Amino acid sequence: MSHEDRLFGLYVHWPFCKAKCPYCDFNSHVSKQINFPAFQAGMLAEMRHLANRLEQPSRLCSIFFGGGTPSLMPPDLIAAIIAEAEQIFGFSTDIEITAEANPTSVEAAGLASFKSAGVNRVSLGIQALDPAQLHFLGREHSVTEALEALALVQTTFAKVSIDLIYGLPGQTLGSWQMTLQKLLELGLDHLSLYQLTIEAGTLFHTRWRRGDVLTGSDDLVADLFLMTNAIMEEAGLSAYEVSNYARNGHECQHNLNYWQAQDWLGIGPGAHSRFDYWGQRIGLVTRRSPKSWLEMTALNGHAIEVESLETPTGWASEMLMMGLRLKAGVDLDLIERKCGPRKLWLDLERLETHLNAGLVHFIQYQNSERLATTAGGRLLLNSLLADISR
Ligand SMILES: C[S@@+](CC[C@H](N)C(=O)[O-])C[C@H]1O[C@@H](n2cnc3c(N)ncnc32)[C@H](O)[C@@H]1O
Ligand code: SF4
């Protein structure tokens, strides 16, 4: 693959929210006072610094404003970041520029100015279509507000995705099926449907350790997952990744970059960059705390505090781990070209066992033979990966 064929993306992390949701372990904070000009100066400086770390800058295929809650960012800040990115890297003709947004009415109304700033795709965190579930998830918006925000966003942006969380206590196959049917009536081309996970360091984790039941049983969640895949596929939205469903041509380019282990830079507190560099794989991580990220960028022009050079095995396992999330799987020959013979990073005997058990299969995709998980294999992805990687 030439440099031109590779995806190249920029991730911008906005680390603030109106309130902290009890299930969320993202780097997000509630703060009364935010020094926006200092964030702008830090983000632009960090972008310039990272551009100089590349083997060869390419045109950007995607920018992703993630959080936290990027819909709380001032539109001028969004515009300044996009303008600087275009000046430094240039944009591919069909660049995808996504902002994550929370569906409160105020934020939805403000998103029109994000469009003027250059954003062309919005990912709206609806999370649930049931008032009791929204309350359980500690969300700040109602179902009506979320649906109104969605309708507004759909009139403004051609590309819209929504996030929902399932596998909640009390949820049944029937009630989730009804939710999916309602969602399918909304005319969406992309949905992210996540199973609730109890993450360390969250309020839900504390409650779970005390014995509260916060998720459906493993068996029910597995059935919900398989039903979700079947319903979405039937409606023409391919389960192109473990939690992501899209009509053909509407897959999220920015996230495909991660899943295909290509090249991206990340700016802002706690952002990760990963890119190929003269035949090696570099990983960078910036300071996580917003306050010390600001101090560090003011001092050094960047807040990178971890730098790693992957071993061939580490790099191979990144490509396997990310690629097996995709229905289109991963090209083992490509990994061999970068990381050496497969027996060094793949347990071929265990792979054979999982091929025979129908958890993985070889498929033909875009002129290459690829290893991919079946729907059943994606259900057991973590243990499968631990088993086949060396
Ligand atoms: C960075 S967050 C979302 C952006 C936005 N602040 C919001 O809440 O709508 C990205 C998505 O991750 C999902 N998510 C976060 N924590 C999760 C968890 N513990 N289990 C499942 N999904 C989770 C939510 O669906 C959320 O919309
Ligand atoms: S789910 Fe979204 S709004 Fe809630 S704390 Fe996480 S990033 Fe913030």
Side-chain angles (χ1 to χ4, degrees):
M1 187 182 268
S2 77
H3 237 280
E4 283 300 297
D5 296 331
R6 286 178 68 78
L7 290 172
F8 177 50
L10 174 70
Y11 175 75
V12 182
H13 190 75
W14 187 250
F16 300 109
C17 294
K18 270 197 194 135
K20 185 78 190 173
C21 303
Y23 54 85
C24 177
D25 77 335
F26 284 77
N27 185 20
S28 60
H29 309 263
V30 179
S31 175
K32 283 209 176 70
Q33 277 193 328
I34 300 171
N35 185 342
F36 294 110
F39 269 97
Q40 177 163 326
M43 286 182 166
L44 299 188
E46 196 161 62
M47 195 193 316
R48 288 190 288 268
H49 174 86
L50 285 168
N52 289 327
R53 302 286 301 260
L54 297 170
E55 176 188 324
Q56 177 195 330
S58 337
R59 284 172 192 277
L60 280 171
C61 308
S62 64
I63 302 180
F64 195 99
F65 291 90
T69 306
S71 45
L72 296 174
M73 288 172 81
D76 287 358
L77 174 52
I78 299 265
I81 292 169
I82 294 176
E84 185 76 3
E86 183 164 25
Q87 201 179 26
I88 297 178
F89 304 104
F91 286 173
S92 69
T93 42
D94 52 354
I95 186 168
E96 171 194 278
I97 306 185
T98 305
E100 284 184 332
N102 280 31
T104 66
S105 48
V106 182
E107 284 160 83
L111 285 173
S113 45
F114 278 38
K115 188 180 181 185
S116 322
V119 170
N120 58 23
R121 182 174 182 273
V122 166
S123 168
L124 200 62
I126 287 194
Q127 316 305 356
L129 287 184
D130 175 287
Q133 289 174 353
L134 283 181
H135 178 71
F136 168 76
L137 292 168
R139 298 293 290 182
E140 295 268 288
H141 53 86
S142 65
V143 175
T144 313
E145 209 174 0
L147 292 176
E148 283 172 3
L150 175 61
L152 191 62
V153 167
Q154 282 179 303
T155 58
T156 317
F157 294 90
K159 294 186 219 165
V160 177
S161 177
I162 59 172
D163 289 353
L164 266 90
I165 301 180
Y166 69 95
L168 309 183
Q171 199 164 31
T172 59
L173 285 170
S175 68
W176 179 237
Q177 185 180 9
M178 266 161 57
T179 303
L180 290 178
Q181 248 124 35
K182 274 192 220 156
L183 294 176
L184 288 169
E185 285 162 17
L186 300 174
L188 290 153
D189 297 316
H190 190 287
L191 295 99
S192 302
L193 305 173
Y194 300 109
Q195 292 166 27
L196 177 63
T197 40
I198 305 300
E199 305 285 357
T202 62
L203 193 62
F204 270 12
H205 193 253
T206 311
R207 287 183 54 191
W208 172 76
R209 281 179 35 193
R210 278 202 315 248
D212 287 1
V213 176
L214 299 169
T215 60
S217 71
D218 288 353
D219 283 350
L220 176 67
V221 172
D223 288 345
L224 288 169
F225 174 75
L226 294 174
M227 186 184 80
T228 306
N229 282 357
I231 292 178
M232 300 308 275
E233 294 272 357
E234 166 86 27
L237 287 113
S238 168
Y240 75 102
E241 192 267 349
V242 177
S243 310
N244 285 275
Y245 303 84
R247 286 188 206 287
N248 215 350
H250 292 268
E251 297 82 3
C252 174
Q253 295 303 301
H254 190 82
N255 288 338
L256 276 177
N257 179 338
Y258 297 154
W259 297 318
Q260 293 173 356
Q262 301 206 17
D263 303 326
W264 69 91
L265 301 179
I267 61 173
H272 291 239
S273 303
R274 287 185 86 78
F275 48 90
D276 291 9
Y277 187 76
W278 300 111
Q280 297 185 298
R281 185 76 169 160
I282 303 279
L284 307 172
V285 189
T286 63
R287 181 68 65 89
R288 192 174 159 88
S289 138
K291 184 169 173 290
S292 53
W293 178 89
L294 271 182
E295 288 162 4
M296 229 171 132
T297 47
L299 208 60
N300 306 326
H302 68 87
I304 298 165
E305 67 169 4
V306 181
E307 300 204 15
S308 58
L309 187 61
E310 278 300 348
T311 58
T313 328
W315 190 5
S317 80
E318 177 193 355
M319 286 192 262
L320 262 187
M321 201 168 79
M322 300 309 273
L324 288 180
R325 300 185 66 84
L326 291 171
K327 194 180 181 186
V330 59
D331 181 349
L332 298 184
D333 291 339
L334 177 81
I335 309 185
E336 280 198 324
R337 287 198 292 280
K338 290 178 186 264
C339 307
R342 61 188 69 180
K343 63 174 193 261
L344 297 179
W345 41 265
L346 190 60
D347 186 328
L348 297 171
E349 255 178 54
R350 299 303 302 155
L351 177 64
E352 193 63 33
T353 309
H354 294 305
L355 281 165
N356 291 335
L359 296 183
V360 282
H361 54 178
F362 279 102
I363 56 168
Q364 203 61 35
Y365 181 78
Q366 292 180 348
N367 300 327
S368 64
E369 195 191 35
R370 303 164 72 98
L371 178 70
T373 41
T374 58
R378 284 198 287 281
L379 201 51
L380 303 168
L381 191 59
N382 290 342
S383 54
L384 184 71
L385 283 165
D387 211 37
I388 63 173
S389 314
R390 282 202 185 272

